[in-house]
Amino acid sequence: MKTLYQTTVSVTGGRNGHVKSEDGILELDVRIPKEMGGAGGHTNPEQLFAAGYAACFDSALNLVMQREKVVSTSVLTATVGLTSNGEGGFSLWVHLAAHLPGVDPARALELVQKAHAICPYSNATRGNIEVRLEVI
């Protein structure tokens, strides 16, 4: 299978560290959120994951709408939660909420489900974490 794109990001300091992509476009500090006892004030891995998943899923949704000739401007919101898995480790969950103005809710849900089938983030997480889909 041909790789269409790849990138490399380096991190030092983990959740209280610094993130930098190989091209320097992404470069920022990450901190443990206040809700987890950290200083907050910066982004964190869950926010970065939510942003990446939302952008990727919205692109998949727009591709599905284009293929099916549905005209709407989608707004995709991703909520990511971090939980203790009860075994000393941690797990994520994701809630994806799509707003498709002017599209019948049943049809919108069908489009969202089709996007979920082709989105690379959805395919990477399928069976590993809870992903809830919603049309709003």
Side-chain angles (χ1 to χ4, degrees), residues 40-53:
H42 291 80
T43 192
N44 58 66
E46 290 71 34
Q47 286 179 338
L48 293 170
F49 186 75
Y53 203 155

Side-chain angles (χ1 to χ4, degrees), residues 53 56-62 64 76 94-96 98 108-134:
Y53 203 155
C56 189
F57 195 92
D58 193 46
S59 289
L61 182 56
N62 281 284
V64 169
L76 202 293
V94 177
H95 174 213
L96 300 173
L109 182 58
E110 179 184 308
L111 296 168
V112 165
Q113 290 170 335
K114 288 181 179 183
H116 190 48
I118 66 168
C119 172
Y121 273 69
S122 293
N123 287 327
T125 60
R126 187 168 284 108
N128 297 310
I129 66 172
E130 176 189 339
V131 178
R132 186 166 56 99
L133 305 175
E134 180 183 19

Side-chain angles (χ1 to χ4, degrees), residues 9-96:
V9 175
S10 297
V11 177
T12 57
R15 286 183 168 274
N16 280 313
H18 189 79
V19 175
K20 184 176 182 182
S21 62
E22 64 187 343
D23 60 9
I25 292 173
L26 175 68
E27 184 171 6
L28 47 86
D29 291 330
V30 293
R31 295 291 181 268
I32 295 172
K34 285 183 182 181
E35 297 85 350
M36 292 175 56
H42 291 80
T43 192
N44 58 66
E46 290 71 34
Q47 286 179 338
L48 293 170
F49 186 75
Y53 203 155
C56 189
F57 195 92
D58 193 46
S59 289
L61 182 56
N62 281 284
L63 178 61
V64 169
M65 289 190 310
Q66 179 186 12
R67 287 177 178 170
E68 301 205 11
K69 299 180 180 12
V70 174
V71 178
S72 182
T73 303
S74 61
V75 178
L76 202 293
T77 303
T79 303
V80 171
L82 177 69
T83 62
S84 171
N85 69 5
E87 299 172 5
F90 303 91
S91 297
L92 297 173
W93 57 260
V94 177
H95 174 213
L96 300 173

